[in-house]
Amino acid sequence: MTDSKYFTTTKKGEIFELKAELNSDKKEKKKEAVKKVIASMTVGKDVSALFPDVVNCMQTDNLELKKLVYLYLMNYAKSQPDMAIMAVNTFVKDCEDPNPLIRALAVRTMGCIRVDKITEYLCEPLRKCLKDEDPYVRKTAAVCVAKLHDINAQLVEDQGFLDTLKDLISDSNPMVVANAVAALSEIAESHPNSNLLDLNPQSINKLLTALNECTEWGQIFILDCLANYTPRDDRESQSICERVTPRLSHANSAVVLSAVKVLMKFMEMLPKDLDYYGTLLKKLAPPLVTLLSAEPELQYVALRNINLIVQKRPEILKHEMKVFFVKYNDPIYVKLEKLDIMIRLASQANIAQVLAELKEYATEVDVDFVRKAVRAIGRCAIKVEQSAERCVSTLLDLIQTKVNYVVQEAIVVIKDIFRKYPNKYESVIATLCENLDSLDEPEARAAMIWIVGEYAERIDNADELLESFLEGFHDESTQVQLQLLTAIVKLFLKKPTETQELVQQVLSLATQDSDNPDLRDRGYIYWRLLSTDPVAAKEVVLAEKPLISEETDLIEPTLLEELICHIGTLASVYHKPPSAFVEGSRGVMHKRLPLGGDIGGSPAMGAGFGAAPAVMPASLNAPVGGGLGDLFDLGGGVGMPMGAYIPPKTVWLPAMKAKGLEISGTFARRAGVIQMELVLTNKAMSVMTDFAIQFNRNSFGLAPAGPLQVLTPLGPNQTIEVSLPLSTVGPVMKMDPLNNLQVAVKNNIDVFYFSCQYPISMLFVEDGKMERQVFLATWKDIPNDNESQFQIQDCHLNSDAASNKLQGSNIFTIAKRTVEGQDMLYMAIKLSNGIWVLAELKMQAGNPNYTVSLGTRRDGEQHY
Amino acid sequence: MLTHLVIGVEMKGCGCVLISRNYMGNMDMNEVDHFMPIMMRMEEDAESLPLVTHGSAHFLWIKHRNLYLVAMTKKNANAALVYSFLYKMVEVFKEYFKELEEESIRDNFVTVYELMDEVMDFGFPQTTDSKILQEYITQQGHKLDVGAPRPPATVTNAVSWRSEGIKYRKNEVFMDVIESVNLLVSATGSVLRSEIVGSIKLKVVLSGMPELRLGLNDKVLFEITGREKCKTVELEDVKFHQCVRLSRFENDRTISFIPPDGESELMSYRLNTTVKPLIWIESVIEKFSHSRVEIKVKARSQFKSRSTANNVAIMVPVPSDADSPKFKTSTGSCKYLPEKSVVQWNIKSFPGGKEYMMRAHFGLPSVESTELEGRRPITVNFEIPYFTVSGIQVRYLKIIEKSGYEALPWVRYITQSGDYQLRTN
């Protein structure tokens, strides 16, 4: 006999009948009735009307029946809060039952009843259960604290449950420890500042011990918790890594991934020349490869994470290309991810194999996969220069197949190859032109038109080809229209005699018959250029193009670091930070990898990861502007000595946050050297020694140029002033704000972290004078987007005084002009990383407000 | 972690929820209604992803036959944990009800609810070992006063996979060493990938709390102990059942454990060695449009002649619109399986060092179908008993129990095909 019979009662008056049965004297009948109620609940019928009758069945000695009633309660208590109180007594009584199974069941269920009134009654039983002699009850009670916290956080804090929970981390039973860790992590997630998981070497040690003994799930909770810890130094980091690596041999893929997360994070702190560092790298590869034998969904999670790992540390999997070869029966989502990783791992050493594979994939049937494979061939050509020729010929072979979407995809990537290697593969243009008619996707059409326009002088019938597109101009997508316009203008500039009519036609189509403002604008610009100054037009339209970069779609370094901290989670699958998809997590701290290398070690530590970030001009301008404002603010005062502006000292690290060490300071530029001027005060009772300092990677590569010169021990209430020279050759990472600097200071007591902001002006170098001509040319070159304007208020200096003042801060006046009573100062600044910033300062006599326009040329960044 | 677990069933393109459990109460039960429409939309677009989103809700799902197991969450949950938990659930349900299907869920909904309550609490997986669960969640009702179950100490013990007090009259351990060969060969006949995935399975019939130690001809171990002359195997990545003391293995490569009772997988390993493909296939598939397809297949066994491969099945793809099959084989028999569009060539027994031929001939319709067909690979199934490709050997299995009984270990070796694909032209 099976339970399915309970689903079959659908008569009228069912509820009434059930009510009668629930109140029956016969135990067996009662139980049958409750089962019917649960069955109805399961199929979605509303049986909440039976609440009092079901609750009456709660006091029973039949475990199965009790569980069913509890289940019913969890479902309906919220809709019947007043009646739910009726159940409280039984719960409290069950929490004292001699059978631990019942005690645990009661405390587990009570936590799931999200009714405020009940939570009050939950406190006492919970307190007892947290100290229960049976570990099964304790582990259940630990989770119950998290449940209660979710309903009423204040209550949990007031009742001191958090402390009890913390105590459970030292419990003798591994499962209790694991659940306590899980509960604390859950609570900490909603209260990022609560400092709940105050992990220290002692508690870490306890966790590592429990790690060896608890269930697979418990191991995951502990590993995920460990990943939030920041070891004090590289030695601690290594010892944790050593104890975590055995987990890589666990049969459960999730345990393996969580262990990988901890290792990837803590590895960051190990010096690269350490033998252990190399060993660890080697140990990571085999388990990552084995993850690909797991179930497809787990493979997918693994592949998304491997994608992050190969971006962060390509050396781990560089010899494992073959395992990412696609199998015929892989699900499509696995195939696409494997392809992505293949391209990332492609190098000169393995390119032949990769290409052979990609060619094979390009003849498959799944359209998405084929497209991506074709695109991948193009990416290989761009990434591995030696293979470009082979890639191009492979693409040509594929074009010969005449499969429509293959041809189109191939043309799109060939356009990119042309851009990367100009004047190298133009011989293939003829073949491309043969396929003109089969192109029906905008991207492919636009790419083809670009090619025709770019190489118009070598294509005999370029005008005919472009003209053929022109016929249906208005039916094309904007992308194609814009490209067509540009291509015809290029053609005209190259072959003006034959194509006058064509260019007229396209210009009028674009300007007069189109509703699209972008198209009209571009049309007018060309028109005016062509009609006023054809030579200038040539310079603009046929200007040399910058080369395209090798790696596209790389994840931005700070995001990558954050995602590495989230290995295994949804964030790592989406490749988005949790704040982007979890509600209410906006204020939550972004996770970061720890500082590289050992504190106090060589400042070059941690160099070599990540490309230099592309500092966006817009964000650069903001702090520069702010800095300039500061310069003037002070300039307004009297009696300032000539010389660079030095902001007043501020407290960076208050004593209460650093066990008695207070640090205040400022930055200055003296004789061409950037100095960090620090005042260290010992407000603790004991003597401090062994000071060392280290910076996190930052926007301008600031790093200590020497050790922190605190040679004598710092006694209580003593203060010492030190000046730390800085270099700008350290590792670079874009910060937000740009001039943010994260600093770690170590002493005999602990490591402390703080962040401060340096005035951008201290990065202005002494040789920032620019030739007038160069200035003029550069100023013109600055794209509008890169310019910003702002006002400086209330500054009573005339132009000469201002100019002198600014020169003290290495801001050089290149030229001065007076137009309609306005003084215009043109100034140049050179940053330590070689970026030039140009400024125009307008001041009107008698008006204390200045207008500053700042600009920087984008190209400038590519030099550095 | 995950907040909601739903088992739903797919019926004729639409779905309905069979049973569900809300673990955290911060998510509306109705959210799941968005799931099936998303799945249907993806199916129309021939897309597929194991993770889909609706608003702020994330659905992580797996499919077992026609059942969907869906976990829902609104947080940044550990996705690897969720999938691994879902597969564990399938395992648990199978242990309980033999097969996980719509009927078995309906027939046992009370037990299913009990299990869902026990395996996860507030989104945290708890005990998922079905042997231990069966000790206190049974399919019969219990009276509390007479022998109601208590949580076995095992649930929370450090040894959470074996209960105390197990007794057998005869103590034995059966050990199966099974190696699967994964092979991928390109159409031009070069081996792209060859991988051995091994697994050691145990059937433990032992009393008490025995301590077992397993010795293999592990290369790393032999190097540590300085015995380098013997034939050894370099295990690339080893995964263990949670009963094995991982830190001990990490330290001195000793595999020591207290085994779970009954059947379990003790360990698995992977080797990337370039062994000669055990069964090599050469094929010529000639397609004459609008008239016929001719297939020639040569199969060669490339292992020592004292071993024999059994139940060899070679699946050769044919166009889906082929008809009127004709076969000729030098040994074995051929079958056309139109539903899979393959010819299956069966060879009951295939000794090492032999070569067999098969020819097949199909007619093709004069009107060509417009549908593009992928070039499917030839796949091969086989098993070779008393043989391991890697050469792995069990050197000893020591069994120590404090009562001091004698126990016999039995070891069997077998090599079989895993994902064995040879691409065709």
Side-chain angles (χ1 to χ4, degrees):
Chain A
M1 199 172 61
T2 68
D3 296 346
S4 53
K5 63 176 192 294
Y6 300 110
F7 290 98
T8 51
T9 49
T10 46
K11 296 171 282 188
K12 262 191 180 174
E14 188 191 348
I15 298 277
F16 185 75
E17 226 169 80
L18 280 172
K19 205 177 177 81
E21 284 176 38
L22 284 169
N23 291 312
S24 157
D25 294 335
K26 289 189 189 124
K27 279 184 179 170
E28 211 36 48
K29 202 157 194 183
K30 245 184 190 175
K31 192 168 135 191
E32 293 295 291
V34 174
K35 278 194 183 178
K36 279 184 203 162
V37 172
I38 299 291
S40 303
M41 187 184 93
T42 304
V43 294
K45 278 184 216 158
D46 184 13
V47 284
S48 58
L50 294 167
F51 199 91
D53 310 283
V54 177
V55 172
N56 271 338
C57 303
M58 201 171 159
Q59 286 206 29
T60 169
D61 51 4
N62 185 305
L63 184 59
E64 193 183 7
L65 180 58
K66 194 180 267 296
K67 281 187 179 174
L68 289 174
V69 175
Y70 277 4
L71 189 67
Y72 178 91
L73 268 172
M74 280 189 267
N75 246 341
Y76 289 112
K78 211 171 179 183
S79 57
Q80 314 251 346
D82 291 328
M83 282 202 268
I85 299 283
M86 290 164 51
V88 164
N89 258 335
T90 318
F91 275 129
V92 174
K93 215 177 112 212
D94 281 353
C95 283
E96 305 199 340
D97 195 278
N99 186 338
L101 205 57
I102 307 278
R103 295 202 294 275
L105 184 67
V107 80
R108 182 162 69 212
T109 311
M110 271 172 100
C112 292
I113 298 178
R114 302 173 65 84
V115 175
D116 254 343
K117 285 181 196 158
I118 283 200
T119 52
E120 294 166 33
Y121 299 98
L122 187 54
C123 293
E124 277 324 298
L126 178 57
R127 199 185 314 282
K128 270 186 210 146
C129 288
L130 280 167
K131 302 229 156 88
D132 200 285
E133 54 172 20
D134 192 295
Y136 183 78
V137 180
R138 288 203 302 277
K139 71 124 184 159
T140 312
V143 175
C144 189
V145 176
K147 290 180 188 168
L148 190 58
H149 188 271
D150 196 38
I151 307 168
N152 191 341
Q154 196 56 46
L155 184 71
V156 169
E157 275 166 48
D158 294 346
Q159 296 279 334
F161 285 138
L162 293 180
D163 294 323
T164 323
L165 200 52
K166 279 190 215 166
D167 292 343
L168 286 185
I169 289 191
S170 316
D171 198 280
S172 59
N173 185 290
M175 186 120 174
V176 177
V177 178
N179 273 4
V181 167
L184 279 171
S185 306
E186 180 79 28
I187 295 171
E189 207 174 294
S190 52
H191 287 72
N193 303 321
S194 56
N195 201 22
L196 260 182
L197 278 163
D198 179 26
L199 297 173
N200 51 51
Q202 288 78 35
S203 56
I204 290 290
N205 199 27
K206 278 176 196 148
L207 292 184
L208 286 168
T209 311
L211 187 62
N212 289 326
E213 293 172 342
C214 58
T215 66
E216 47 200 319
W217 313 114
Q219 295 183 20
I220 299 172
F221 307 151
I222 292 180
L223 289 168
D224 284 355
C225 173
L226 276 178
N228 289 326
Y229 176 66
T230 308
R232 288 162 309 165
D233 50 32
D234 56 327
R235 244 168 307 152
E236 189 187 5
S237 188
Q238 177 175 347
S239 88
I240 296 176
C241 285
E242 277 167 356
R243 293 176 71 178
V244 167
T245 31
R247 296 300 121 195
L248 294 173
S249 300
H250 201 286
N252 188 327
S253 307
V255 176
V256 175
L257 262 183
S258 287
V260 168
K261 166 163 55 190
V262 175
L263 296 174
M264 280 295 287
K265 193 177 165 189
F266 288 8
M267 234 171 138
E268 200 76 358
M269 289 188 71
L270 300 177
K272 306 280 166 295
D273 48 359
L274 197 71
D275 285 346
Y276 181 70
Y277 178 81
T279 320
L280 199 52
L281 278 181
K282 276 201 207 94
K283 277 194 178 158
L284 276 169
L288 286 173
V289 171
T290 305
L291 287 175
L292 301 184
S293 327
E295 288 84 1
E297 291 83 4
L298 281 161
Q299 273 187 56
Y300 177 67
V301 175
L303 285 164
R304 292 293 283 172
N305 279 287
I306 288 173
N307 199 327
L308 298 172
I309 292 167
V310 296
Q311 286 185 60
K312 181 78 193 157
R313 297 191 183 279
E315 63 272 33
I316 295 178
L317 287 167
K318 67 178 174 204
H319 299 303
E320 303 289 350
M321 170 64 92
K322 281 186 173 182
V323 302
F324 298 102
F325 284 0
V326 169
K327 283 186 281 191
Y328 178 76
N329 44 349
D330 281 334
I332 179 68
Y333 53 82
V334 168
K335 284 184 178 176
L336 292 174
E337 290 307 318
K338 281 186 174 176
L339 201 50
D340 232 11
I341 294 168
M342 278 172 69
I343 303 165
R344 293 211 193 281
L345 291 176
S347 67
Q348 203 184 335
N350 55 26
I351 194 75
Q353 266 182 335
V354 175
L355 270 181
E357 275 298 294
L358 291 175
K359 201 172 167 185
E360 183 79 32
Y361 304 161
T363 57
E364 284 250 12
V365 275
D366 191 295
V367 179
D368 283 341
F369 181 57
V370 171
R371 281 174 182 277
K372 197 158 182 177
V374 176
R375 222 161 252 236
I377 297 174
R379 274 170 68 186
C380 285
I382 290 165
K383 194 173 169 191
V384 185
E385 186 162 0
Q386 294 82 352
S387 75
E389 198 160 340
R390 225 169 335 162
C391 294
V392 172
S393 80
T394 307
L395 288 169
L396 284 178
D397 288 350
L398 289 172
I399 289 175
Q400 300 303 346
T401 63
K402 304 277 176 195
V403 178
N404 185 287
Y405 52 85
V406 174
V407 173
Q408 311 214 36
E409 211 56 48
I411 285 181
V412 172
V413 291
I414 286 181
K415 179 202 76 178
D416 287 341
I417 295 177
F418 281 169
R419 288 204 53 189
K420 169 82 185 183
Y421 310 110
N423 306 318
K424 225 171 160 182
Y425 299 110
E426 282 69 20
S427 52
V428 307
I429 291 175
T431 320
L432 302 185
C433 290
E434 286 164 22
N435 292 285
L436 218 54
D437 304 330
S438 64
L439 308 179
D440 52 13
E441 288 162 25
E443 202 182 355
R445 285 173 85 86
M448 192 63 220
I449 292 168
W450 183 88
I451 293 171
V452 174
E454 189 68 17
Y455 299 100
E457 67 273 27
R458 302 183 209 189
I459 306 171
D460 294 335
N461 59 344
D463 49 343
E464 283 169 38
L465 293 176
L466 291 175
E467 200 171 355
S468 69
F469 281 103
L470 211 52
E471 280 158 24
F473 189 78
H474 290 298
D475 302 328
E476 299 284 1
S477 72
T478 313
Q479 188 185 10
V480 179
Q481 289 175 334
L482 285 168
Q483 204 51 260
L484 195 53
L485 172 63
T486 305
I488 292 179
V489 171
K490 282 181 191 165
L491 173 70
F492 171 72
L493 289 166
K494 289 173 180 176
K495 299 179 182 173
T497 46
E498 310 123 66
T499 55
Q500 190 125 25
E501 206 174 304
L502 193 60
V503 85
Q504 284 291 347
Q505 209 181 336
V506 77
L507 287 174
S508 78
L509 277 172
T511 52
Q512 284 158 30
D513 304 336
S514 169
D515 297 334
N516 185 316
D518 284 345
L519 186 63
R520 270 205 318 263
D521 283 357
R522 197 187 281 194
Y524 278 123
I525 290 170
Y526 282 144
W527 203 325
R528 282 189 195 141
L529 258 174
L530 291 173
S531 53
T532 48
D533 188 355
V535 180
K538 215 164 189 164
E539 269 170 32
V540 171
V541 179
L542 302 180
E544 213 154 284
K545 280 160 220 53
L547 293 182
I548 54 173
S549 69
E550 288 177 13
E551 293 272 0
T552 44
D553 67 0
L554 277 180
I555 295 176
E556 193 259 325
T558 35
L559 176 59
L560 182 62
E561 291 209 350
E562 188 178 354
L563 293 179
I564 292 282
C565 299
H566 287 290
I567 282 178
T569 68
L570 289 179
S572 73
V573 178
Y574 289 128
H575 288 184
K576 283 182 196 160
S579 55
F581 62 88
V582 180
E583 276 176 3
S585 64
R586 239 150 256 286
V588 175
M589 282 250 292
H590 289 263
K591 291 190 182 175
R592 279 284 165 81
L593 291 178
L595 291 160
D598 52 340
I599 299 287
S602 84
M605 213 64 85
F609 2 93
V615 179
M616 289 307 291
S619 64
L620 174 68
N621 282 347
V624 174
L628 278 182
D630 283 348
L631 303 190
F632 280 103
D633 281 347
L634 257 126
V638 276
M640 264 288 289
M642 274 302 176
Y645 158 70
I646 300 168
K649 288 198 172 82
T650 46
V651 175
W652 284 334
L653 182 70
M656 6 178 336
K657 278 197 185 162
K659 303 186 180 160
L661 176 68
E662 189 188 76
I663 300 179
S664 60
T666 186
F667 293 88
R669 189 180 182 92
R670 295 185 203 281
V673 179
I674 303 167
Q675 304 271 5
M676 185 181 195
E677 303 192 340
L678 296 157
V679 179
L680 309 176
T681 310
N682 181 355
K683 296 196 171 171
M685 306 299 283
S686 56
V687 176
M688 293 178 180
T689 55
D690 303 323
F691 284 91
I693 192 164
Q694 171 124 19
F695 296 171
N696 201 354
R697 279 168 280 160
N698 53 69
S699 312
F700 292 94
L702 286 178
L708 192 62
Q709 298 288 336
V710 187
L711 300 174
T712 47
L714 194 59
N717 281 325
Q718 257 186 342
T719 293
I720 186 169
E721 286 199 38
V722 261
S723 194
L724 179 72
L726 305 184
S727 72
T728 53
V729 294
V732 173
M733 180 177 77
K734 193 191 159 196
M735 302 295 291
D736 189 26
L738 205 61
N739 57 340
N740 200 20
L741 181 66
Q742 294 179 343
V743 184
V745 168
K746 189 188 88 161
N747 61 13
N748 57 332
I749 296 168
D750 207 339
V751 184
F752 310 104
Y753 301 93
F754 64 88
S755 65
C756 53
Q757 293 178 6
Y758 45 87
I760 210 91
S761 61
M762 74 179 198
L763 296 166
F764 301 168
V765 293
E766 277 72 17
D767 61 346
K769 257 200 166 107
M770 213 182 210
E771 284 295 326
R772 286 180 82 137
Q773 289 305 319
V774 183
F775 182 92
L776 210 62
T778 319
W779 183 258
K780 278 186 186 156
D781 261 354
I782 295 172
N784 276 344
D785 298 351
N786 291 3
E787 236 182 89
S788 69
Q789 241 190 37
F790 57 90
Q791 300 263 334
I792 297 172
Q793 310 251 313
D794 218 1
C795 189
H796 301 276
L797 283 174
N798 65 24
S799 60
D800 286 335
S803 169
N804 279 338
K805 176 126 266 157
L806 291 174
Q807 181 137 8
S809 298
N810 294 336
I811 302 172
F812 300 96
T813 306
I814 308 298
K816 185 182 161 186
R817 210 149 60 112
T818 310
V819 182
E820 297 165 0
Q822 274 192 351
D823 279 345
M824 318 268 270
L825 290 179
Y826 291 91
M827 302 191 275
I829 303 160
K830 190 181 171 193
L831 295 181
S832 57
N833 54 8
I835 295 183
W836 285 92
V837 181
L838 305 183
E840 181 193 54
L841 189 65
K842 282 185 203 165
M843 38 181 101
Q844 218 157 2
N847 183 348
N849 298 347
Y850 297 170
T851 306
V852 183
S853 306
L854 276 176
T856 178
R857 196 161 59 140
R858 222 191 148 163
D859 294 0
E861 282 124 42
Q862 287 169 356
H863 296 303
Y864 104 109
Chain B
M1 221 29 96
L2 80 158
T3 63
H4 212 128
L5 181 68
V6 177
I7 300 175
V9 63
E10 181 194 48
M11 288 189 319
K12 299 178 195 84
C14 81
C16 72
V17 173
L18 268 184
I19 202 161
S20 75
R21 172 72 203 257
N22 193 343
Y23 285 107
M24 282 182 100
N26 61 354
M27 215 165 156
D28 198 336
M29 293 292 262
N30 302 328
E31 287 274 9
V32 73
D33 297 343
H34 301 297
F35 177 69
M36 273 324 282
I38 296 176
M39 295 314 287
M40 273 142 64
R41 214 176 316 132
M42 291 218 308
E43 205 163 302
E44 272 168 31
D45 303 346
E47 275 177 41
S48 148
L49 263 185
L51 166 61
V52 294
T53 319
H54 180 271
S56 60
H58 310 278
F59 303 91
L60 298 91
W61 61 277
I62 64 169
K63 204 172 172 186
H64 183 81
R65 298 180 163 212
N66 65 339
L67 289 184
Y68 284 103
L69 278 82
V70 189
M72 299 196 281
T73 180
K74 289 196 166 186
K75 298 196 171 181
N76 181 29
N78 186 329
L81 175 142
V82 173
Y83 289 120
S84 152
F85 174 75
L86 291 178
Y87 276 105
K88 202 74 181 194
M89 286 303 287
V90 173
E91 231 174 81
V92 170
F93 287 137
K94 274 178 159 176
E95 289 269 333
Y96 264 83
F97 316 127
K98 294 240 166 53
E99 193 38 76
L100 172 59
E101 54 195 10
E102 188 184 349
E103 211 174 313
S104 61
I105 297 280
R106 276 194 204 281
D107 286 354
N108 300 287
F109 78 96
V110 175
T111 315
V112 173
Y113 271 129
E114 279 191 54
L115 284 173
M116 286 171 115
D117 196 39
E118 195 62 42
V119 293
M120 178 167 272
D121 194 6
F122 201 54
F124 304 123
Q126 301 291 307
T127 309
T128 51
D129 191 312
S130 55
K131 287 198 194 75
I132 304 303
L133 284 168
Q134 271 165 349
E135 285 182 30
Y136 65 111
I137 296 183
T138 57
Q139 278 148 300
Q140 301 95 44
H142 292 287
K143 282 275 187 178
L144 278 182
D145 35 37
V146 276
R150 292 179 164 250
T154 330
V155 174
T156 52
N157 257 352
V159 182
S160 63
W161 54 87
R162 187 184 179 93
S163 296
E164 297 201 31
I166 297 172
K167 271 209 179 72
Y168 288 104
R169 190 102 64 76
K170 193 173 176 193
N171 292 298
E172 288 174 306
V173 180
F174 301 90
M175 189 178 262
D176 279 333
V177 180
I178 302 164
E179 291 196 338
S180 304
V181 181
N182 295 333
L183 182 77
L184 184 62
V185 176
S186 78
T188 54
S190 57
V191 176
L192 295 175
R193 200 145 87 80
S194 134
E195 184 186 62
I196 302 163
V197 178
S199 147
I200 297 185
K201 297 203 163 134
L202 288 180
K203 189 179 167 197
V204 177
V205 188
L206 294 174
S207 314
M209 278 295 197
E211 269 281 347
L212 271 63
R213 225 165 71 213
L214 174 67
L216 299 171
N217 54 341
D218 170 17
K219 188 176 173 194
V220 185
L221 174 67
F222 277 39
E223 276 168 10
I224 299 171
T225 51
R227 280 177 296 185
E228 279 178 58
K229 278 176 208 138
C230 324
K231 190 177 182 288
T232 57
V233 175
E234 189 173 0
L235 305 169
E236 188 139 330
D237 186 34
V238 195
K239 294 273 178 280
F240 290 107
H241 185 275
Q242 62 166 322
C243 66
V244 178
R245 298 182 180 92
L246 294 180
S247 19
R248 182 98 193 262
F249 179 76
E250 181 81 10
N251 282 342
D252 56 10
R253 301 289 278 197
T254 307
I255 304 169
S256 77
F257 55 98
I258 297 171
D261 191 42
E263 290 178 29
S264 59
E265 184 181 52
L266 177 70
M267 63 181 276
S268 66
Y269 54 89
R270 188 172 52 80
L271 299 113
N272 259 335
T273 45
T274 40
V275 285
K276 232 182 190 180
L278 295 171
I279 293 191
W280 184 252
I281 307 284
E282 280 169 43
S283 66
V284 182
I285 302 176
E286 275 182 295
K287 192 173 164 184
F288 303 92
S289 285
H290 317 299
S291 74
R292 63 190 197 282
V293 180
E294 284 177 8
I295 298 170
K296 268 183 271 180
V297 177
K298 192 162 76 182
R300 194 167 63 229
S301 53
Q302 309 194 108
F303 42 88
K304 294 224 171 73
S305 55
R306 60 165 188 267
S307 292
T308 301
N310 292 335
N311 303 322
V312 179
I314 300 163
M315 266 76 66
V316 184
V318 291
S320 56
D321 51 359
D323 54 44
S324 47
K326 274 178 237 150
F327 311 112
K328 220 167 97 187
T329 58
S330 62
T331 192
S333 63
C334 272
K335 221 173 16 181
Y336 173 45
L337 305 173
E339 70 278 10
K340 289 184 190 156
S341 300
V342 292
V343 186
Q344 185 173 332
W345 178 17
N346 292 311
I347 304 163
K348 202 96 201 105
S349 157
F350 198 149
K354 293 269 192 230
E355 192 172 290
Y356 297 127
M357 291 283 292
M358 184 272 272
R359 282 166 185 274
H361 180 284
F362 286 88
L364 281 180
S366 51
V367 186
E368 208 170 333
S369 83
T370 48
E371 223 171 281
L372 257 175
E373 273 190 74
R375 287 180 301 169
R376 290 171 294 146
I378 293 178
T379 56
V380 186
N381 293 338
F382 59 85
E383 50 187 55
I384 309 172
Y386 319 114
F387 170 78
T388 55
V389 225
S390 67
I392 197 170
Q393 274 176 348
V394 174
R395 291 174 44 244
Y396 60 81
L397 180 67
K398 287 186 184 146
I399 303 161
I400 302 156
E401 216 278 335
K402 55 177 184 288
S403 67
Y405 58 70
E406 287 281 319
L408 287 174
W410 304 92
V411 186
R412 273 194 307 191
Y413 299 96
I414 190 167
T415 291
Q416 61 187 28
S417 56
D419 206 338
Y420 204 93
Q421 301 185 358
L422 301 100
R423 292 182 185 157
T424 55
N425 275 311

